[in-house]
Amino acid sequence: AGIIAGRRGIEGRNSPIAENAQIMNLVVSAESGEPYLKDIALAIRYAVDHQADIIMLPVQNTLYPEDQKKWISEALEYAESKGVFCVTPAWEGAQDLAVETYYPNRWMTGKKELTNLMVVCSSDKNGNPSMNSNYGAKEVDLYAPGMEIYSTYTGDTYQSGTGLGLAAATTVGVAALIKAYYPHLTGTQIRNILLETVTSRKDAEVEKGIVVDFE
């Protein structure tokens, strides 16, 4: 929330991306372990029905039973039909997403590709990818700042942090800023704008950790 929204200049430290954005905090995580997929699906629908424009989802996962995957697919399709933009962070497993399938992804419905869903990985201040982030030329949409991000912390303090959700929060903040200026844009259009304007590093040489499976 500190990355996305809030008041600027608090103690000279807080620099949210979209200070006029409002946060709808919906809890889907259990006390321990992975979030329940039913709760994620219901939270997506609740957010859409209560005029959310952008939804930040929990980190991608491989544990998606077929019947429960359908709940998430249908909820994301519902969000797409209402023009809502959704962002999910990729897992930090140094895995090739063309080989190992994580959810949610744009092809999970088994029908057409979702046009409102963006998969984001972390990069540092120089645009270099996180050493441990998952990767995929088709499966990952973009890398966003998510390493050593200085922002709000518990107890009215500020800290630098690196985490799975920070790159997604940066992306959501930029999307919220775009939406604030152009409220008529749909989630699909916002995703396209981000893809068309992100800095290309096509010819850059980067150091990246990868996991190779031998059979």
Side-chain angles (χ1 to χ4, degrees), residues 3-5 16-19 21 54 167-179:
I3 293 171
I4 299 167
I17 300 171
E19 59 184 324
I54 302 160
T170 301
T171 306
V172 166
V174 174
L177 188 64
I178 294 171
K179 184 73 174 181

Side-chain angles (χ1 to χ4, degrees), residues 11-161:
E11 299 178 6
R13 297 178 176 182
N14 197 40
S15 298
I17 300 171
E19 59 184 324
N20 293 321
Q22 294 179 305
I23 303 293
M24 182 190 298
N25 188 33
L26 303 178
V27 179
V28 297
S29 295
E31 187 174 340
S32 61
E34 304 296 336
Y36 292 112
L37 299 186
K38 171 180 68 70
D39 293 339
I40 296 175
L42 291 174
I44 292 170
R45 290 181 177 275
Y46 181 93
V48 173
D49 288 341
H50 288 78
Q51 286 73 57
D53 296 303
I54 302 160
I55 298 174
M56 180 173 156
L57 299 166
V59 65
Q60 283 186 313
N61 204 324
T62 58
L63 303 174
Y64 265 57
E66 196 61 37
D67 56 339
Q68 297 182 38
K69 184 175 77 172
K70 184 180 179 183
W71 301 340
I72 303 293
S73 296
E74 291 176 347
L76 289 173
E77 286 180 311
Y78 181 60
E80 182 183 41
S81 72
K82 299 296 184 179
V84 177
F85 181 49
C86 300
V87 178
T88 184
W91 186 254
E92 292 267 312
Q95 291 180 303
D96 185 352
L97 296 181
V99 176
E100 187 72 28
T101 302
Y102 277 74
Y103 302 98
N105 63 57
R106 296 192 305 280
W107 303 274
M108 66 184 295
T109 66
K111 307 170 192 172
K112 67 177 186 66
E113 178 183 342
L114 290 166
T115 63
N116 66 324
L117 178 64
M118 175 165 276
V119 178
V120 178
C121 289
S122 293
S123 63
D124 63 18
K125 63 182 179 181
N126 297 315
N128 295 317
S130 161
M131 185 67 76
N132 295 320
S133 69
N134 287 349
Y135 58 95
K138 184 176 71 170
E139 293 78 14
V140 173
D141 290 299
L142 55 80
Y143 286 82
M147 302 169 68
E148 294 302 314
I149 302 296
Y150 192 73
S151 187
T152 49
Y153 193 66
T154 55
D156 294 328
T157 61
Y158 300 85
Q159 285 193 18
S160 289

